[in-house]
Amino acid sequence: SYKGTPEALTYFFKLLDLRRAGRLLGLDLAYFFRAVLEKFDELGEEPNCLVADVQDEIFDMVKPADPRYITLQDLINCRVGDTIVGMLTDAHAFYQHDRREELMPHDGEGAGEG
């Protein structure tokens, strides 16, 4: 996927880095994720999570060099930067990530049925 390329992540990082500090703090992640939660509310969906939990999950996924913030290099190195950008900017992408286990076909389901 092109979203995971260093070039694409650089583009998205510049959009997410509103303070132009070269790093994303938990507050930055919360700012963007709240907008995703608002979209869930508009659609009548239950987000099934708290902002703080998603912040923690993102930091766990990225494993930044400094645990206080995420840099562009951290986002590129983690190999799931495209997922993280989606979680922060796209309600549908977050829904797919959040419900990934429910959305995956289970062994035996769908095979030979119908």
Side-chain angles (χ1 to χ4, degrees), residues 18-94:
L18 294 176
R19 296 173 299 104
R20 301 292 178 248
R23 59 183 128 202
L24 302 176
L25 302 173
L27 287 172
D28 300 313
L29 304 181
Y31 175 81
F32 285 99
F33 189 67
R34 281 190 188 99
V36 170
L37 289 180
E38 287 175 18
K39 192 65 174 173
F40 268 80
D41 194 41
E42 288 173 20
L43 297 171
E45 283 288 335
E46 189 65 37
N48 200 29
C49 62
L50 300 173
V51 172
D53 294 338
V54 173
Q55 282 177 266
D56 290 344
E57 181 177 359
I58 289 173
F59 272 88
D60 288 345
M61 291 168 72
V62 174
K63 297 176 183 60
D66 186 313
R68 297 172 297 169
Y69 54 81
I70 295 169
T71 65
L72 172 60
Q73 198 58 54
D74 294 328
L75 200 59
I76 291 169
N77 292 345
C78 76
R79 304 207 183 273
V80 290
D82 55 335
T83 300
I84 290 162
V85 167
M87 290 170 67
L88 294 172
T89 61
D90 180 357
H92 180 70
F94 177 76

